[in-house]
Amino acid sequence: MSAVAVVAALGSAAAFAVGAALEQSEAKKEERAPPLDPRLLLRLVQRPRWLLAWVPEGVGTALQAVALTFGPLILVEPLLITGLFLAIPLSAALNRRPVHTRDYAVVALGGASLAAFLIAADPRPGITEPSVKDWLGVALWAGPMLGVCLAGTLFAHNGLRAVLLGVASGLLYGIAASLLKALTEQLSVEPIAVLTRGQTYALIVVGLAAVILNQNAFQSSRIAVPLMAITIVDPAVGVAIGVTAFHEQIATDGPRLAIQVVAGLAMIGGIWLASTTRSDIHQQQMANGHAGPAPRRGPETS
């Protein structure tokens, strides 16, 4: 395990945490928007602090690329979730809200479960260029999953809404990363030729949708809820696409498969627990008990 990968991954986690906290503090100031409403993004780009957040986001992306160059996925991805330990108090300070101490335990559970899942899966490389048929296979399971999450937001409030939007964001981020992976080899050889590839334009659409859903999620609850869902779902989707489209192999022998199942259930449980603090439950009950828009928008937890 490379020390460079560890340092870069931790630096990436910290940078992403700062960027996410700044984004969330600005997104919560805007009127809550429907999922995938581009007008939310148009309003946010007029906020200097939200634009400033993309500086640490860019640094985090660059450091993540360095970490993945020098270290394996099973090392880098669990380390990225450590950024939540910084994002939680930073977001609370920016939003002038108390910290939910249980979030730290839930984040630790999520990080440990993700690490166990990736170690047990032990993904191994496959092909570098999926076929159109392979991408259609991804669409067959990713499309319904996205649709269920978005449909669920029509009936969910606060914590549960943030979970659904966080899962949807993580799903799209995972797809975007996979599309970028498919273009990487050609980018290094014929960068201009990528403009003729359908994956390039799919990457732009998917990436933009992921950013909008991310901001929608930030509006719904305190930062730990959507950010934990995104941080866990993103690499999990990457593994799923690796198996289904890139024909990568994962370990499926008895003990390893059992660990993957238990770790997967623990990750789902961790995301659920993050969304069910007393304040979120109380707000959801209030929203369900009133027809007017005020309780739905009311002061959410940070």
Side-chain angles (χ1 to χ4, degrees):
M1 301 289 185
S2 171
V4 175
V6 172
V7 172
L10 292 175
S12 175
F16 281 137
V18 173
L22 289 172
E23 286 178 27
Q24 193 230 17
S25 68
E26 296 303 297
K28 288 180 75 67
K29 295 175 184 177
E30 292 290 340
E31 181 178 356
R32 182 176 293 182
L36 292 175
D37 187 343
R39 291 174 296 181
L40 173 61
L41 206 57
L42 293 176
R43 294 196 297 269
L44 287 172
V45 296
Q46 300 177 48
R47 291 182 171 272
R49 182 186 283 183
W50 190 86
L51 293 174
L52 179 64
W54 288 91
V55 175
E57 290 278 2
V59 172
T61 301
L63 288 174
Q64 183 181 12
V66 171
L68 288 171
T69 300
F70 288 93
L73 181 74
I74 59 176
L75 170 67
V76 174
E77 292 298 339
L79 287 175
L80 291 179
I81 206 171
T82 62
L84 270 70
F85 289 103
L86 173 61
I88 290 169
L90 183 57
S91 173
L94 288 172
N95 290 289
R96 297 180 181 178
R97 305 288 188 184
V99 173
H100 293 267
T101 54
R102 192 177 71 163
D103 284 346
Y104 294 112
V106 172
V107 168
L109 171 63
S113 302
L114 177 60
F117 176 82
L118 292 173
I119 291 171
D122 189 22
R124 282 153 285 177
I127 63 175
T128 58
E129 179 62 31
S131 65
V132 174
K133 182 179 178 181
D134 292 327
W135 286 120
L136 289 176
V138 171
L140 285 176
W141 60 264
M145 182 177 174
L146 178 64
V148 168
C149 288
L150 295 182
T153 63
L154 299 176
F155 310 98
H157 302 280
N158 298 319
L160 181 55
R161 185 176 190 270
V163 165
L164 293 171
L165 289 169
V167 170
S169 302
L171 171 65
L172 292 182
Y173 279 132
I175 294 172
S178 298
L179 288 167
L180 181 60
K181 178 180 179 180
L183 293 169
T184 299
E185 187 174 348
Q186 189 165 25
L187 274 170
S188 62
V189 180
E190 298 178 286
I192 302 300
V194 300
L195 297 177
T196 64
R197 302 287 298 277
Q199 290 98 319
T200 301
Y201 301 98
L203 174 60
I204 293 172
V205 173
V206 170
L208 184 60
V211 171
I212 296 174
L213 285 176
N214 195 341
Q215 306 312 308
N216 287 142
F218 281 160
Q219 290 188 308
S220 301
S221 184
R222 65 196 192 286
I223 198 168
V225 180
L227 203 56
M228 182 170 167
I230 292 169
T231 308
I232 288 178
V233 172
D234 182 351
V237 167
V239 171
I241 294 177
V243 172
T244 57
F246 289 85
H247 302 286
E248 297 175 354
Q249 296 181 341
I250 61 173
T252 56
D253 56 272
R256 284 181 175 270
L257 184 59
I259 292 173
Q260 291 171 49
V261 171
V262 172
L265 292 174
M267 286 188 284
I268 294 172
I271 293 172
W272 178 258
L273 287 172
S275 71
T276 54
T277 60
R278 289 183 179 179
S279 57
D280 282 331
I281 293 172
H282 177 63
Q283 287 179 30
Q284 184 169 339
Q285 290 173 340
M286 287 184 63
N288 289 337
H290 296 272
R296 181 180 175 87
R297 281 196 59 209
E300 292 108 5
T301 56
S302 62

